[in-house]
Structure formats: structure tokens, C-alpha cells
Amino acid sequence: MTISIGDKIPSVKLKTMGKEGPQDISTDDIFNGKKVVLFAVPGAFTPGCSMTHVPGYVVAADKIKEKGVDTIACMSVNDAFVMGAWGKDQNAEELLMLADGNAELTKAMGVEMDGSGFGMGTRCKRMAMIVEDGVVSHFAIEPPGGIVETAADKILSLL
């Protein structure tokens, strides 16, 4: 079942790249008591994600945070090393780059997709949400091939 507005974000551990290497970070630490914009992409370093989706959030980060957002998080079913390198490549210092390497959060939210036709295995659908104190207040899944409903400008207009 796909997560919906009013649902609480499932409690799982993700990874982020720290100075000493991959570090655990819980969804409770990310979302509880905070206003968070979470967007997810099918894969780091993929064309739409690297040329449009992440750059939009990098450019809009200050405006999004001015609307009271504590954290802007980008999640992908990739490992922490890939997400760390991709964050550097994208100059995404203002974004929390989250690795859902085993697709645990992706599956718990019901947003997995089969990317095996592209040699990618299980991935997360392109989606975005606004989460307030751990509860989803806005949620959008992007139709295949698009970056409109989950784009930074769209999310900014909803804050």
C-alpha cells in the first residue's frame, strides 16, 4: 500500500555519507519535530535526476528553507558512497543525501518500481513529499518521464 497524506513516515534506518564513511541515520531523527521536504529519484547520476531534479532543489534550497523547512532530503536506492559522490558532483551541500541501499524505506512507503529492464533492479519511483513532524502533508508521485509534480518549484509553491 502506498503511503498517503496523513500517514506517518515509517521508522527505518538509512545511510548518509559522513567524514568517516557511511553513517546510519534514522527516519525518526530526520522527520520527528521537523518540517522536511523529501524527494526521491530512481537513480543517482541518471540523466533526469542529475540534469533537472537535483539541480532544481539546489537552486531553490534557500527559498524552500525560508518557508520554514528544516531539511531538504534527496533519497535514492543507491549506497552511501554513490549518494555522497553525487551530492558533491551536484554541489548539493544544502541537501541531505540519503541512501536507501536496500530499498527498506522505499518498500515500507510502497513506492518501489522495477527498474530491472534498465539493469537497475528495485528502485524508488520519482516522488516528493512535505512531512511535518513525521506526518505526510503533501505527496506526489511523478508519472514516468516527467519532472513536474515533484520539481522544486512545484513543492516551493505548496509551502
Side-chain angles (χ1 to χ4, degrees):
M1 187 157 125
T2 304
I3 198 164
S4 301
I5 293 170
D7 289 348
K8 184 160 177 41
I9 295 291
S11 183
V12 300
K13 288 203 190 284
L14 301 169
K15 299 273 187 194
T16 188
M17 183 53 74
K19 292 180 182 179
E20 308 272 325
Q23 297 179 337
D24 287 341
I25 185 167
S26 74
T27 52
D28 295 334
D29 289 339
I30 296 166
F31 296 101
N32 290 350
K34 298 173 188 155
K35 187 172 188 176
V36 177
V37 169
L38 171 68
F39 70 102
V41 299
F45 292 104
T46 57
C49 305
S50 292
M51 294 186 309
T52 304
H53 213 177
V54 170
Y57 280 94
V58 169
V59 169
D62 289 341
K63 290 179 183 174
I64 290 171
K65 289 190 173 184
E66 285 172 5
K67 298 285 187 173
V69 171
D70 298 295
T71 305
I72 304 165
C74 173
M75 183 183 79
S76 184
V77 180
N78 286 110
D79 62 64
F81 294 100
V82 168
M83 292 302 286
W86 191 39
K88 286 180 184 174
D89 179 72
Q90 292 288 310
N91 297 311
E93 295 86 19
E94 294 294 318
L95 307 184
L96 176 62
M97 302 301 280
L98 296 172
D100 187 19
N102 296 322
E104 291 174 40
L105 181 58
T106 297
K107 290 175 182 175
M109 293 192 302
V111 292
E112 68 271 16
M113 62 173 248
D114 182 2
S116 59
F118 298 100
M120 297 170 70
T122 299
R123 293 297 174 123
C124 188
K125 293 176 182 176
R126 187 178 308 280
M127 61 101 181
M129 58 177 62
I130 300 169
V131 182
E132 299 180 54
D133 193 22
V135 177
V136 178
S137 62
H138 172 77
F139 176 63
I141 293 179
E142 198 72 60
I147 304 175
V148 176
E149 296 302 315
T150 63
D153 290 343
K154 176 69 173 192
I155 296 301
L156 183 59
S157 75
L158 298 169
L159 292 169

